[in-house]
Amino acid sequence: MGDAIEAVVIIGAGPAGMACAWRLAQLGFSPLLLEKATFPRDKVCGDALSGKAVALLRKLGGEALVANLARQPFAQAVDTLTFIGSSGRKVSLSFPPRDGLPQGFVVPRLALDAWLAAHLPPTVRLRTGACVEKVAYTAPIWTLFLKSGEEIRTRFLVGADGATSRVGAWLWRYYRLAPPVAYPAVRGYASTGAEGAELALYFQQPYLPGYLWDFPAAQGRRNIGLGMPPAVVKRQHLALRQHLLSRYPGLEGVKGHGIPVSLRYRPIAGPACALVGDAAVLTDPFTGEGIANALLSGVRLAEALGRVPLSEWPATDWMEMYARPLYRELRAELHLSRLLHRLAASSWQVEVLLWGANRLPSVIRTLVRWYGGG
């Protein structure tokens, strides 16, 4: 173990970790960003970038970054998000291009994360193939134990390592909390592309209050998947992978994953540490969209770190500086999303929701603002 002590180490180079590192670099830091895999590497995901996510990319890299993404052959522009019930009733949210650039995309995580990594500011020190097996805290320093035998010490540790976060596991023990529940989901790719630029979410049995998604992807493909609460999977006796393949024969790359859904607030910061993205359990419970809040949490944590002198980090209440302001920012959005998730437990309630939303323009405007960047 060397004598050097890092200022900030981020575990996980997904959108949350890279957004945190990116914003820290803009604020004058040179964070160490550790990723256990090497790029390009896949992550099971719906691959959708909402308008909110695109706006955050613009905050990080300016209009040029979004324009660069729009030119990539792996990026499919989208302009509509549609919720569809069992009867075929639907609600569509439109978010057309702005200033000539799309407000939404479908980008496979295999490509997205590698693309983001290639555009990181030069002061971000990205290390791939760096697998962290254990973390330990002896105030005021964190020690990371890597699979290679290396040890890294840091003044602040960021957990951006997803639903199975090692930093998150440490925090849940620290607060004597059970780990968050992850909703099972599966995803595959169809080789027949969907016409148009519509993200379709089917709120139908037997998935409720989960849903099935069908998203257009670039190069003539579609991203198709489904996700739902574990209790529903058990009650319906569903083998998700087999069910998806039986409904869509010929799907390729069918893989499962867990979605850490935000059903209640959790303490996502502790002594000289904090969680971002899926590790912080910030996925929208109604739509399952997680990339936007992953980016947002990374940016907000970096900004909180930038407001506190380095010498004061060990004594700082990071729940007060980072977590509570983030939750206040997301309160209205998550409150409505949790309510919609609960109401989407049966087909007739979904039909009532869709019927009502079509008759309340204010609801449509709010949803467009949150999901479409309007």
Side-chain angles (χ1 to χ4, degrees), residues 19 27 45 75 90 109 122 127 138 145 198 222 238-239 268 304 345-346 348 350:
L27 295 172
C45 183
K90 61 179 65 177
R109 290 290 299 278
R127 285 182 53 185
T138 303
F145 300 87
E198 178 186 63
R222 292 151 61 203
L238 285 175
I268 57 172
S346 68
W348 74 266
V350 170

Side-chain angles (χ1 to χ4, degrees), residues 109-121:
R109 290 290 299 278
L110 181 71
L112 175 66
D113 292 11
W115 174 82
L116 282 171
H119 288 83
L120 286 169

Side-chain angles (χ1 to χ4, degrees), residues 180-231:
V181 174
Y183 283 21
V186 291
R187 170 233 68 189
Y189 291 98
S191 58
T192 54
E195 293 184 4
E198 178 186 63
L199 304 171
L201 301 179
Y202 294 87
F203 287 85
Q204 302 171 354
Q205 294 292 5
Y207 316 122
L208 298 177
Y211 61 84
L212 182 143
W213 71 80
D214 190 340
F215 296 166
Q219 299 169 331
R221 300 203 302 168
R222 292 151 61 203
N223 180 314
I224 300 172
L226 56 91
M228 66 201 74

